[in-house]
Amino acid sequence: MKKNTLKIFCLTLLLMVLGTGTVYANESFPHKCEDGENETELVQPRSRYLGSAISEITNKGNGVLHIYADFTSFNAVPWAQITINLERTKSDSGSWSKVKTYTYTFRQEDEPDGILSYGSADFDVSGFATNYYYRLTCEHKVKTPSGSYETKTTRTDGVLLTPYPDFRSLAKPN
């Protein structure tokens, strides 16, 4: 019995050692797509213009929400837009409904140096019902110099809007 168990263990160990190997990843980008009839255009592994998109929502207390959203592009673009949808629900796991939409448009000609590669929206809102969870769903869109659009969508977690001061505002500064 011991000999059979020892043989099985040794055989399993041998198979594990022989089964390991080195795997090499293929780094050839971009990839060609085939649709069965002919090869189509090249697929880029990432965006060529819209580099990053961020959205944040914070409960400042006393019925005030702080909203922040931005985008950064790899290259200059002539036009960009951030559409911020403020949504709410009674419980953190319930269905969300749109409360308000804020739209910020950025144009190349409005920039001091004439180069548009970054834009942000940073503001506080109040007057909304407290004891609800609020979140943001944002669409960050840029228009490329060729006239096409690149879009990223971000969504935050829900934050409870409170009618009383936020505990962080009560802390003494160091």
Side-chain angles (χ1 to χ4, degrees):
M1 178 77 176
K2 283 187 177 184
K3 285 185 178 184
N4 286 339
T5 305
L6 184 59
K7 284 181 184 179
I8 291 173
F9 176 74
C10 289
L11 186 58
T12 304
L13 187 60
L14 180 64
L15 288 173
M16 287 174 46
V17 170
L18 292 176
T20 60
T22 305
V23 176
Y24 297 97
N26 184 357
E27 296 181 14
S28 62
F29 282 105
H31 296 292
K32 289 187 178 183
C33 293
E34 295 181 20
D35 61 3
E37 294 177 13
N38 56 5
E39 290 184 358
T40 59
E41 62 188 55
L42 298 176
V43 176
Q44 298 297 323
R46 64 174 173 86
S47 170
R48 295 190 74 157
Y49 287 89
L50 188 53
S52 69
I54 296 172
S55 59
E56 297 175 348
I57 186 168
T58 309
N59 174 25
K60 290 182 77 174
N62 293 324
V64 178
L65 291 169
H66 181 74
I67 295 174
Y68 176 81
D70 76 11
F71 76 91
T72 303
S73 65
F74 294 117
N75 300 298
V77 294
W79 177 91
Q81 187 175 63
I82 301 174
T83 303
I84 303 168
N85 292 308
L86 180 63
E87 301 173 338
R88 81 171 173 206
T89 186
K90 189 64 175 171
S91 67
D92 195 22
S93 62
S95 63
W96 294 89
S97 60
K98 190 184 310 184
V99 176
K100 181 115 174 144
T101 299
Y102 305 93
T103 303
Y104 289 84
T105 303
F106 307 90
R107 291 180 178 79
Q108 182 179 15
E109 57 268 13
D110 296 337
E111 297 299 311
D113 57 1
I115 298 173
L116 176 59
S117 61
Y118 172 80
S120 68
D122 191 8
F123 57 97
D124 291 337
V125 295
S126 60
F128 295 105
T130 57
N131 298 318
Y132 281 86
Y133 286 89
Y134 290 85
R135 74 176 182 189
L136 302 178
T137 302
C138 298
E139 180 184 69
H140 313 258
K141 183 191 294 188
V142 297
K143 183 178 182 179
T144 68
S146 68
S148 64
Y149 293 88
E150 291 183 1
T151 304
K152 290 187 185 222
T153 303
T154 58
R155 177 177 291 149
T156 66
D157 291 334
V159 62
L160 181 63
L161 180 59
T162 57
Y164 46 83
D166 184 43
F167 72 92
R168 288 172 285 190
S169 63
L170 299 175
K172 294 180 182 178
N174 292 333

